[in-house]
Amino acid sequence: MILKALDSLPRRRNKLWKLETVVDTESSSHPLWNTFQLDLEKVTNLEGLTEVRDSYLGRQRGLVALEMRKLGQFPPSERPEAGRVLNELKNAVLKALETRQTELKKRRDESRVREERIDTTLPGYNFKTGGIHPIRRVWREMEDIFVRMGYTVVVGPEIESDHYNFEALNIPKGHPARDDQDTLYINDTLLLRTHTSPVQIRTMEQHQPPLRIIAPGRVFRRDSVDATHSPMFHQMEGLVVDEGITLADLKGTLEVFFRELFSEETRVRLRPSYFPFVEPGAEVDISCIFCGGNGCRVCKRSGWIEVLGAGMVHPRVFSMVGYDSERYTGFAWGMGIDRIAILKYQVDDMRLLFENDIRFLSQF
Ligand SMILES: [Zn+2]
């Protein structure tokens, strides 16, 4: 029904025509009608329309109301006709205002829809996604290699006692090794651990051999921050204790590990060194992963890069945890996770790993 009614309307979309229609259907012979129509034509928004409505239909000062009041001045014979003409004017004005209001509202709604429309063709925002920090990434990779070799991951407290951090590791008070490690003390007996080695003591106290563990974690030293130092860094400690463990096992283990971590071509060499808790002790180098051992800037033309300290567990350490040092032998090593990350990702400044600048981190 409605569709049919719409179809029967003339297909003209001229707004002026609409106004004319209003005039044609509802009009008035009163002289104010023409003035009203001119005023109405000037209206462009709903506020303007209210003003026109008030000036014509206002109860007190509206022009139509004023005309009504003049009715009494007409001779009685002309009064009914004058009243009819005025009523006609009032109705025509009402009708015209209503039509115009509908039109203006529609126009306002249309422009609002236009302004508020969402352009679905615009490219969307990219949400920033997190990634795994390079230290944690290397940490996991290192853990993974050792776990596959049958190692167990153990952890210990970061706040340690002097006993576990030094004494039990064959570093008694007054030992020069205590000076090497600028320790951050909490009080006379507590400190922030300077290495992850206390974890091997704690583990050996609770478990009998055979033992095959790695202990990763944060360690602290009173170092100033520069390209190669940080007061907080990460270490991974390894310990194997069993009957008949030799230095060859240590070297073989590290070879397998570094070949897995870097490449099949990586070679490992041990240089004699000293650490209080091992005997013999060794510095461990790997063939330069950048030049393959030919010599470059990173390895200072030597073809080798120092990566960790290791050795055979000192019999005195064993006796302190109650192991029979005649029956058991073992090896231990400790390496910096940050140092490995620096080598693996070829980062030339350790500070980059701790500043957590998103521009740096997003490269991994
Ligand atoms: Zn090199």
Side-chain angles (χ1 to χ4, degrees), residues 82-105:
R84 195 193 59 78
V85 168
L86 211 48
N87 254 331
E88 198 182 62
L89 171 71
K90 194 180 168 185
N91 289 335
V93 166
L94 270 172
K95 181 82 180 164
L97 285 168
E98 198 181 300
T99 312
R100 189 84 174 122
Q101 189 182 35
T102 313
E103 209 174 272
L104 289 169
K105 268 187 183 160

Side-chain angles (χ1 to χ4, degrees), residues 105-339:
K105 268 187 183 160
K106 193 179 164 207
R107 201 191 292 174
R108 184 197 58 189
D109 292 347
E110 278 170 0
S111 77
R112 201 174 279 175
V113 166
R114 244 193 329 273
E115 281 164 19
E116 294 174 5
R117 181 167 48 200
I118 294 164
D119 185 352
T120 52
T121 64
L122 283 172
Y125 295 107
N126 279 327
F127 288 104
K128 285 198 166 74
T129 48
I132 300 169
H133 193 283
I135 291 177
R136 180 62 79 176
R137 195 181 282 261
V138 167
W139 179 328
R140 283 186 186 173
E141 204 175 328
M142 291 165 72
E143 267 185 4
D144 190 49
I145 295 168
F146 281 109
V147 166
R148 275 187 276 139
M149 284 197 269
Y151 284 70
T152 305
V153 182
V154 290
V155 289
E158 289 173 358
I159 295 174
E160 264 300 358
S161 67
D162 187 274
H163 171 76
Y164 283 110
N165 197 80
F166 291 126
E167 298 278 341
L169 285 157
N170 199 27
I171 316 172
K173 284 200 168 63
H175 194 286
R178 290 200 178 205
D179 299 333
D180 296 344
Q181 304 178 351
D182 275 325
T183 312
L184 291 156
Y185 282 94
I186 290 166
N187 57 33
D188 284 347
T189 51
L190 290 179
L191 48 85
L192 293 177
R193 67 179 177 189
T194 58
H195 45 191
T196 41
S197 309
V199 181
Q200 54 167 285
I201 304 297
R202 288 176 176 276
T203 310
M204 285 191 285
E205 279 179 347
Q206 288 166 20
H207 302 275
Q208 287 301 305
L211 214 59
R212 216 182 296 171
I213 59 156
I214 49 166
R218 284 191 287 194
V219 299
F220 307 85
R221 292 187 196 175
R222 215 168 52 197
D223 267 327
S224 305
V225 176
D226 64 27
T228 53
H229 293 87
S230 162
M232 188 282 290
F233 55 101
H234 302 84
Q235 232 183 28
M236 189 176 281
E237 181 94 1
L239 173 72
V240 171
V241 183
D242 203 348
E243 289 177 28
I245 296 291
T246 69
L247 202 61
D249 295 315
L250 167 65
K251 192 176 186 226
T253 301
L254 292 174
E255 264 170 2
V256 169
F257 170 73
F258 284 112
R259 280 176 189 166
E260 189 79 7
L261 190 71
F262 293 119
S263 76
E264 268 306 308
E265 287 73 43
T266 313
R267 283 163 290 133
V268 169
R269 80 172 182 190
L270 273 61
R271 283 179 292 113
S273 185
Y274 169 76
F275 302 102
F277 34 93
V278 286
E279 178 57 38
E283 294 279 5
V284 179
D285 299 337
I286 55 169
S287 54
C288 180
I289 52 170
F290 301 101
C291 63
N294 296 324
C296 69
R297 190 181 59 83
V298 180
C299 61
K300 299 191 182 80
R301 312 273 155 217
S302 71
W304 295 94
I305 298 174
E306 189 188 315
V307 279
L308 63 95
M312 300 306 288
V313 181
H314 201 292
R316 209 173 292 159
V317 173
F318 276 159
S319 60
M320 266 186 276
V321 295
Y323 279 11
D324 179 359
S325 60
E326 292 298 318
R327 185 178 167 196
Y328 296 110
T329 50
F331 65 76
W333 49 259
M335 64 180 106
I337 298 174
D338 322 81
R339 169 115 177 98

